[in-house]
Amino acid sequence: MQTDDVNLKKRAESAAEKKATFGEDFELEKFEEGSKISKPIEDLQTLDEESKRTLLQVGVVPSEEGRSGSLLVLDNSVMHSSLKDKDIELTSTHKALEKYEWLKDYSWKLVAVDTDKYTAKTYLENANGYFIRVPAGKKSSMPVQTCLLLGSEKTSQTVHNIVIVEEGASLDIITGCTAKKGVEEGLHLGISEMYVKKGATLNFTMIHNWAEQIGVRPRTVVRVEEGGTYISNYICLKPVRSVQMYPTVRLEGEGAVTRLNTIAIAHPGSELDLGSRAIFNARGTKAELISRTITIGGRIIARGEMIANAKGAKGHLECKGLVLTDKGSQLAIPILEANIDDVELTHEAAVGKIAKDQVEYLMARGLTEEEAVGMIVRGFLDVGIRGIPDELRNEIENTITQTAFGN
């Protein structure tokens, strides 16, 4: 074992019981390690109808129509991988590390193994996941889709993903994270390290659709170089026990740009601790962090943080939350930190109920009260996410309708 590996292992072992800074503390011993072995499938269309519906609900199209490639992780095993666009590389993280010696310079270099016990467990279990790479100057014609599927009750899923978009390249990714029907309790630990090189663009959309007793602990760090752009869309509209995430984007090159959009609904019994962080480490970098959250009985903590370490940095943080029932709660925590002059950081935070005058205005123009509330909720959650299939859009529409009309 090489010196770097020994040091990483020691650091991970030292953090094996380290609690995360935020969120419910899960006892890892209560969950079985997910199986690393599954029967491979050549075609997602051969899945049973229930599984295909589950995939569609998180934006993953079994027919692969409109997709340049697909990868499916079941528990801790890569079950399917296929690719239509030869300008893109898509495989498992393990296979990529075996193929490329240089990839060690990217693996566990953005996310620290000793961040907390969740990152430590993921490292010590040698988690697999997806590796996606776009060579310099190449542009994906259609999104790559990946699915992280929890298939066994009371199981922990550990995943390690690496994405590299080389200089001048562009890539769209749609990732769906979900559980099979009947899996009600489990733990998902997902480590993602993303590299956006000079002048490159990465659009990353993640849809969560879990179950009522599942804990979710993603750990994501993105590095954006000069002139690069990283756009993230996160959607979580269904019941889940606990989600705690705080993705960090490091703007390391001049003119690098990021936008992070979050839309979420907290149901009764759910706690969503959702954050976004942008660190401006180069001149003229820009960031926009947008959060739209609704509670219909659960608890939401919306964190947003911007740290300016370079001149000419500009950032805007916007946290808006709706409370549609007196049983839910919303907490917005904006943080702006300027460590140098000549920066511009702004924030806007607002939580509360739907304004009565807005409803009355729409009703005066012929809408019923339910139609007015539904229109307001739809407009509130619309942050311009593109590339998701019609089935998922219908699922989102149904969820919004139930949220607006059922509470």
Side-chain angles (χ1 to χ4, degrees):
M1 185 177 291
Q2 297 181 356
T3 302
D4 286 349
D5 295 330
V6 172
N7 291 336
L8 285 174
K9 184 178 180 182
K10 287 181 178 178
R11 287 170 53 194
E13 289 174 339
S14 70
E17 298 183 6
K18 181 180 178 182
K19 293 183 179 181
T21 304
F22 306 117
E24 177 183 353
D25 182 53
F26 285 93
E27 295 182 33
L28 300 180
E29 298 76 14
K30 289 186 176 181
F31 302 91
E32 294 290 331
E33 181 179 346
S35 174
K36 294 184 177 180
I37 301 173
S38 64
K39 183 179 179 180
I41 60 170
E42 295 296 323
D43 188 347
L44 293 177
Q45 290 280 56
T46 62
L47 292 169
D48 61 86
E49 291 303 315
E50 188 64 49
S51 294
K52 287 192 283 189
R53 281 195 295 271
T54 297
L55 265 59
L56 282 168
Q57 289 172 352
V58 290
V60 177
V61 182
S63 69
E64 300 192 59
E65 183 179 355
R67 299 290 185 261
S68 59
S70 303
L71 187 141
L72 170 63
V73 177
L74 175 63
D75 291 333
N76 291 337
S77 171
V78 176
M79 188 179 188
H80 169 83
S81 180
S82 60
L83 187 62
K84 291 186 287 186
D85 189 340
K86 301 307 179 184
D87 287 337
I88 298 173
E89 190 167 4
L90 171 66
T91 187
S92 72
T93 304
H94 282 180
K95 286 184 178 180
L97 286 166
E98 290 173 3
K99 182 178 180 179
Y100 298 120
E101 180 69 24
W102 54 261
L103 192 53
K104 291 182 179 180
D105 294 333
Y106 292 82
S107 179
W108 292 104
K109 292 299 188 288
L110 294 182
V111 176
V113 297
D114 54 358
T115 299
D116 53 40
K117 64 185 184 181
Y118 308 121
T119 57
K121 178 180 176 67
T122 304
Y123 177 82
L124 293 171
E125 290 186 0
N126 189 29
N128 205 355
Y130 58 78
F131 168 77
I132 306 174
R133 174 177 169 265
V134 185
K138 301 296 184 179
K139 301 182 185 299
S140 63
S141 57
M142 297 177 291
V144 173
Q145 63 180 9
T146 63
C147 182
L148 309 178
L149 179 63
L150 192 58
S152 305
E153 182 73 4
K154 294 186 178 179
T155 292
S156 66
Q157 180 182 57
T158 53
V159 180
H160 182 205
N161 309 312
I162 302 175
V163 177
I164 303 173
V165 187
E166 301 284 3
E167 184 172 335
S170 69
L171 173 67
D172 287 10
I173 301 175
I174 296 176
T175 289
C177 301
T178 187
K180 277 190 172 184
K181 186 177 181 180
V183 177
E184 295 297 328
E185 185 175 0
L187 188 63
H188 167 82
L189 312 178
I191 309 302
S192 296
E193 300 180 289
M194 303 185 185
Y195 297 83
V196 182
K197 299 301 182 94
K198 182 178 179 180
T201 298
L202 173 58
N203 289 287
F204 181 76
T205 296
M206 181 163 60
I207 301 102
H208 278 185
N209 186 358
W210 297 105
E212 294 187 9
Q213 293 301 317
I214 292 181
V216 184
R217 295 293 181 267
R219 300 290 183 259
T220 300
V221 179
V222 184
R223 187 181 194 276
V224 187
E225 296 183 4
E226 180 183 347
T229 299
Y230 173 72
I231 299 173
S232 169
N233 301 302
Y234 173 69
I235 304 171
C236 182
L237 304 181
K238 295 302 181 72
V240 61
R241 175 169 169 174
S242 173
V243 179
Q244 188 274 308
M245 56 188 292
Y246 211 155
T248 296
V249 181
R250 291 168 28 187
L251 301 170
E252 300 288 354
E254 184 173 351
V257 175
T258 188
R259 177 186 171 105
L260 292 92
N261 302 312
T262 300
I263 63 173
I265 298 175
H267 296 253
S270 295
E271 179 170 293
L272 308 181
D273 191 326
L274 309 174
S276 298
R277 179 191 290 120
I279 304 176
F280 306 78
N281 286 332
R283 180 182 292 273
T285 46
K286 298 179 181 179
E288 188 175 22
L289 313 183
I290 306 295
S291 173
R292 296 280 193 277
T293 56
I294 295 175
T295 177
I296 54 174
R299 176 171 171 78
I300 291 179
I301 303 172
R303 305 179 191 275
E305 183 175 3
M306 296 190 294
I307 303 171
N309 298 320
K311 290 181 178 293
K314 291 185 178 181
H316 180 65
L317 170 62
E318 185 176 305
C319 299
K320 291 187 177 181
L322 287 179
V323 181
L324 299 187
T325 171
D326 57 8
K327 296 180 181 179
S329 67
Q330 288 260 13
L331 176 62
I333 306 177
I335 300 174
L336 306 181
E337 179 181 332
N339 296 311
I340 196 168
D341 63 2
D342 189 25
V343 299
E344 182 181 331
L345 304 180
T346 60
H347 81 80
E348 179 183 355
V351 297
K353 63 181 181 179
I354 294 176
K356 185 178 179 180
D357 60 342
Q358 290 182 349
V359 177
E360 292 175 345
Y361 176 85
L362 293 173
M363 290 176 66
R365 277 147 183 79
L367 298 183
T368 66
E369 182 176 1
E370 286 188 348
E371 290 171 339
V373 171
M375 181 177 290
I376 292 169
V377 170
R378 288 185 193 91
F380 178 79
L381 292 179
D382 186 7
V383 292
I385 295 173
R386 61 187 179 86
I388 57 178
D390 291 339
E391 292 85 351
L392 178 57
R393 289 193 183 279
N394 293 336
E395 186 72 19
I396 293 172
E397 177 69 19
N398 291 336
T399 301
I400 291 172
T401 299
Q402 294 169 8
T403 299
F405 302 164
N407 295 275

